[in-house]
Amino acid sequence: MRRAVGTAVSKARRRVSSYLSQILLAVIAAALAWTIAGGLVQDHYPFFAPIAAVIALNASGGERGANAIRLLTGVFLGIIAGEFALLVTDRGVLALALGTGIAMTAAVAVNAERIIIGQAAASAILATILVGGNPGTGRLVDALIGAGVALLFSQLLFPARLVAMLRRIEENALQEMADMLDAVGLSLTEEGEASSEQVVNRLGDLSRPMAELSRAREASMSTIRLSTIRWGDTQPVLDEDAIIERLILLGESCLYLARTTTSMGAEERRELGPIVRGMAAVLAILADDLSSRQTREQAVEQALTAARLYGASTAEDDPVTHATHLAVEMVAADIMVFAGIRFEEVEDVLQGDLEDPTIPLPPQEPWLPWLRWRPRLPRPPKIRFGRFRERR
């Protein structure tokens, strides 16, 4: 129980830490939108302005600008529908129902996304309930101010740090792969058909992180195209996009390794269990900090250890055993390519012919768009891979 609670608290702290900057940005934007709306439009309660600012910023970094436009569309439809309902009915439940229905119908008619349909309905509800002395034009101005503040923050002052955003998604995908392989490794030590069923059930766990990686790539490319201040230097994002392709290949190799284990005999499964868990530990190391070259070097070192511990395939091996050896080598090779080792060097590293492969420093990104400075991390000591040859 203590371990489960500790794990849950650790994950919660990590999630809060990763989203803390977005929370602070939304709080500041809400306060600024409230202040501006209250000063520009007199004699009303500017609740739409902070709501619009927070909702517009409540999206992944690469989609905040598009989210602000969606918000404005929904708010506009909702306010117009709410005002019309107040004109033709008395204030109350009837106005709320009519305004909500008209707003959602209009959003569907223009082929709007679901988030716009929901925002239109919410705006119509607020417009028909919280009327007071605030005319519809005032509420629309509030929404424009809130969305404008969100666009100012997300597109000009604090554009999305795309490399950092992509790496967070990569770390989540790596952790999912690590969890899957760890569970597969544990099941390999168990007897009976139930263990094979557990492996098969775990194969679908990577679908969600792989889909998130694809969406993140699309969002980053869209942000580069649409952002008014993308600092001119898009190369770090393009480099990270190529890294995501390697990560997708690594996920496919992990699936292939997990799949081949279901056809092995009991003795071979027990032998392979520690190897699979070793690869899971390597992925967990990478998921801890992708911005550190030392972490990547440590992951490559342990991946080589696990692959060489299992050994190479021989001519006497049956097809299933041969496929399993190949799967272990594929996972180790994809880990090395993902860490930054050049593809043409991977075979030499696996064979021990290349003793000192080069792992480049992961590209960094400016904290703010107007700063060319990038954080310079101390260069860690290089790991000498030649000692693996001696163990061999």
Side-chain angles (χ1 to χ4, degrees):
M1 178 63 71
R2 284 196 300 269
R3 181 179 180 182
V5 171
T7 301
V9 171
S10 177
K11 290 182 178 180
R13 184 169 59 247
R14 185 173 180 178
R15 286 193 295 267
V16 171
S17 176
S18 64
Y19 282 95
L20 185 59
S21 61
Q22 297 182 29
I23 294 173
L24 292 177
L25 194 65
V27 170
I28 295 172
L32 181 60
W34 172 274
T35 302
I36 294 174
L40 291 181
V41 185
Q42 301 295 327
D43 300 327
H44 84 297
Y45 202 59
F47 57 86
F48 263 106
I51 291 175
V54 171
I55 293 177
L57 290 174
N58 185 33
S60 61
E63 298 181 352
R64 291 183 299 185
N67 208 42
I69 302 302
R70 298 187 194 105
L71 169 80
L72 276 179
T73 305
V75 168
F76 178 79
L77 293 174
I79 290 176
I80 297 301
E83 289 299 317
F84 177 78
L86 290 174
L87 285 176
V88 300
T89 64
D90 293 331
R91 297 173 182 176
V93 177
L94 182 59
L96 183 149
L98 181 61
T100 303
I102 293 175
M104 296 184 71
T105 302
V108 172
V110 299
N111 196 26
E113 302 176 23
R114 286 189 175 273
I115 185 174
I116 298 178
I117 298 173
Q119 186 58 48
S123 299
I125 292 171
L126 290 174
T128 53
I129 293 179
L130 302 177
V131 286
N134 184 15
T137 55
R139 290 191 289 274
L140 184 57
V141 170
D142 289 345
L144 288 171
I145 291 173
V149 170
L151 287 172
L152 174 68
F153 276 41
S154 64
Q155 301 300 308
L156 295 177
L157 298 181
F158 305 101
R161 300 181 63 233
L162 295 179
V163 172
M165 178 192 73
L166 292 174
R167 283 196 184 147
R168 282 197 298 269
I169 298 175
E170 291 168 20
E171 290 170 355
N172 292 336
L174 283 167
Q175 191 59 56
E176 290 287 347
M177 295 178 196
D179 293 342
M180 183 200 71
L181 285 186
D182 189 63
V184 169
L186 282 175
S187 67
L188 292 176
T189 61
E190 301 175 359
E191 301 290 344
E193 294 296 328
S195 60
S196 297
E197 294 177 2
Q198 293 175 15
V199 172
V200 173
N201 293 335
R202 296 289 300 187
L203 295 182
D205 292 348
L206 291 185
S207 58
R208 181 179 58 82
M210 292 298 103
E212 289 182 359
L213 283 174
S214 299
R215 286 195 299 268
R217 292 178 64 189
E218 295 175 1
S220 63
M221 293 300 103
S222 175
T223 300
I224 289 176
R225 291 193 302 269
L226 300 178
S227 180
T228 58
I229 180 169
R230 194 42 242 168
W231 325 323
D233 184 11
T234 61
Q235 194 57 45
V237 180
L238 297 177
D239 291 341
E240 205 66 28
D241 185 68
I243 291 174
I244 289 180
E245 291 183 1
R246 303 173 199 165
L247 182 57
I248 293 175
L249 292 176
L250 174 57
E252 293 176 353
S253 297
C254 292
L255 289 173
Y256 179 60
L257 174 59
R259 176 63 183 85
T260 55
T261 62
T262 60
S263 303
M264 300 181 67
E267 184 177 350
E268 292 176 312
R269 290 163 63 88
R270 284 192 296 269
E271 179 187 0
L272 188 61
I275 308 300
V276 174
R277 298 198 69 189
M279 291 299 183
V282 171
L283 297 178
I285 290 173
L286 282 173
D288 282 340
D289 187 7
L290 281 177
S291 299
S292 168
R293 178 166 56 186
Q294 188 174 14
T295 297
R296 298 187 183 213
E297 290 176 342
Q298 182 183 0
V300 170
E301 176 186 4
Q302 294 196 18
L304 284 170
T305 302
R308 290 172 177 170
L309 182 64
Y310 191 51
S313 179
T314 63
E316 293 78 18
D317 290 335
D318 60 85
V320 174
T321 303
H322 178 75
T324 306
H325 281 278
L326 178 61
V328 171
E329 289 186 358
M330 285 176 57
V331 173
D334 285 339
I335 287 174
M336 286 188 284
V337 173
F338 177 76
I341 296 177
R342 292 187 301 175
F343 181 78
E344 55 268 21
E345 296 179 350
V346 169
E347 183 64 25
D348 292 336
V349 175
L350 282 173
Q351 299 299 326
D353 297 330
L354 180 59
E355 300 180 358
D356 193 12
T358 300
I359 297 179
L361 181 69
Q364 306 298 317
E365 186 182 30
W367 290 99
L368 295 174
W370 52 81
L371 294 179
R372 303 308 303 169
W373 172 81
R374 287 179 172 85
R376 294 183 180 275
L377 303 178
R379 184 171 182 175
K382 266 201 166 184
I383 295 177
R384 299 293 175 181
F385 293 96
R387 62 180 179 271
F388 293 114
R389 197 173 187 179
E390 299 173 2
R391 292 178 189 171
R392 229 176 151 192

